[in-house]
Amino acid sequence: MPVEQIINAAKEASFLDVLSTFFSILEYPAITLLTAMLLEIILPIGKTLRLSSLKPFFENISRKVNKEENSEAQIIFSSVFLPFFIIIIAILIVFFLKFTVNHDVIVSLLLLPFLLESKPVLMTTLSVKHSLEEQNKDEAKKNLQEIMVRDCSKLSEMGINKAMAEATSMSMFANWFCILVWYILLGLEGAVIMQLVAVMNRSFSLKEKRNENFGIFIHKVEQIMMIPPVILLFI
């Protein structure tokens, strides 16, 4: 009987055989992504451990290179050089981890849960929803401000709901869906670059006056990198 043969084969299989089969299944990008998505939701990953927590650090660096007395040529050069420098450092770290661990899937499963941003966005959405249900608009604005670049202090209840819907959809697309797509296209390096670009775009936001020229390059890069996910979304 086929069932008996399967049972006998399972009894004869060693732990190493099971482990080898498990990792061979994980070699498929779709399975790797599914596992990483589950780990991102299940694991208690704090906000400070995610790549997006580098936003204040990027903002501080941008203030040092994007000074008011700089000429337009200096601003353009620094706006291009800084993102490239950060991305190159990140890619070198990924290469080092792959060389050290010597297993691409393990490195992907170690890093992808820290790149994906579905859980924090959903938790913020629920916090804003609960605050509005309790008629606590100040708390709702405070929670919303965590994922918004613009000032939320003057928003009405309707404005909070609209801003929340906009922020949730954009964050899930840029910090979750786009990362999945670029992982499929270029592997872990593509996912890291996409998330870094998204975080830097928020850090060098064009909505802030000091970044009117400095943030143009990284904003354009993010728009270009969003083209493949948008195409895939509407196929």
Side-chain angles (χ1 to χ4, degrees):
M1 295 288 291
V3 176
E4 293 177 352
Q5 292 176 356
I6 293 172
I7 293 173
N8 291 331
K11 289 179 179 179
E12 294 174 0
S14 65
F15 175 74
L16 290 177
D17 292 333
V18 175
L19 200 62
S20 176
T21 304
F22 174 72
F23 279 109
S24 65
I25 294 173
L26 282 178
E27 292 287 345
Y28 294 98
I31 303 298
T32 305
L33 284 176
L34 178 61
T35 307
M37 288 160 59
L38 293 174
L39 289 174
E40 192 253 336
I41 295 173
I42 295 170
L43 295 177
I45 302 173
K47 293 181 180 179
T48 55
L49 297 176
R50 297 177 184 272
L51 192 62
S52 57
S53 65
L54 292 175
K55 181 176 178 288
F57 175 68
F58 291 160
E59 288 175 343
N60 289 333
I61 295 178
S62 69
R63 290 191 187 97
K64 292 180 179 180
V65 299
N66 181 29
K67 298 179 180 179
E68 292 183 3
E69 61 269 20
N70 287 356
S71 65
E72 186 174 350
Q74 288 176 316
I75 293 173
I76 293 174
F77 174 79
S78 58
S79 70
V80 175
F81 176 79
L82 182 60
F84 270 112
F85 179 75
I86 291 172
I87 289 172
I88 289 171
I89 294 296
I91 296 303
L92 289 176
I93 293 173
V94 172
F95 286 157
F96 174 76
L97 288 173
K98 285 187 174 183
F99 176 78
T100 305
V101 178
N102 197 27
H103 203 297
D104 291 358
V105 173
I106 293 177
V107 176
S108 295
L109 291 177
L110 284 173
L111 295 184
L112 278 173
F114 296 90
L115 298 178
L116 298 171
E117 290 279 337
S118 64
K119 189 176 179 179
V121 175
L122 295 175
M123 292 298 292
T124 301
T125 303
L126 290 174
S127 299
V128 173
K129 178 178 178 294
H130 292 155
S131 298
L132 289 177
E133 288 175 349
E134 296 172 358
Q135 301 298 317
N136 190 347
K137 289 197 294 184
D138 291 335
E139 184 66 23
K141 293 174 185 177
K142 180 181 176 182
N143 293 328
L144 179 60
Q145 191 66 64
E146 294 180 7
I147 58 174
M148 293 289 290
V149 177
R150 67 180 183 182
D151 183 23
C152 300
S153 61
K154 298 180 180 179
L155 292 176
S156 62
E157 184 172 343
M158 181 64 73
I160 294 173
N161 284 306
K162 288 182 178 180
M164 188 70 251
E166 176 189 344
T168 301
S169 58
M170 288 302 298
S171 296
M172 288 296 290
F173 182 74
N175 302 112
W176 188 76
F177 183 72
C178 288
I179 295 172
L180 300 181
V181 173
W182 277 101
Y183 178 81
I184 294 174
L185 294 176
L186 294 179
L188 183 60
E189 293 82 358
V192 170
I193 292 172
M194 180 65 239
Q195 181 64 319
L196 276 174
V197 168
V199 175
M200 285 190 285
N201 186 46
R202 290 196 64 197
S203 304
F204 314 150
S205 175
L206 291 174
K207 294 180 180 179
E208 296 185 23
K209 185 174 178 58
R210 64 185 180 84
N211 292 325
E212 285 179 349
N213 294 321
F214 185 79
I216 292 176
F217 175 75
I218 196 65
H219 181 70
K220 294 295 183 183
V221 172
E222 185 185 48
Q223 287 183 324
I224 292 170
M225 293 193 71
M226 282 183 174
I227 292 175
V230 168
I231 293 173
L232 186 62
L233 194 65
F234 289 98
I235 289 179

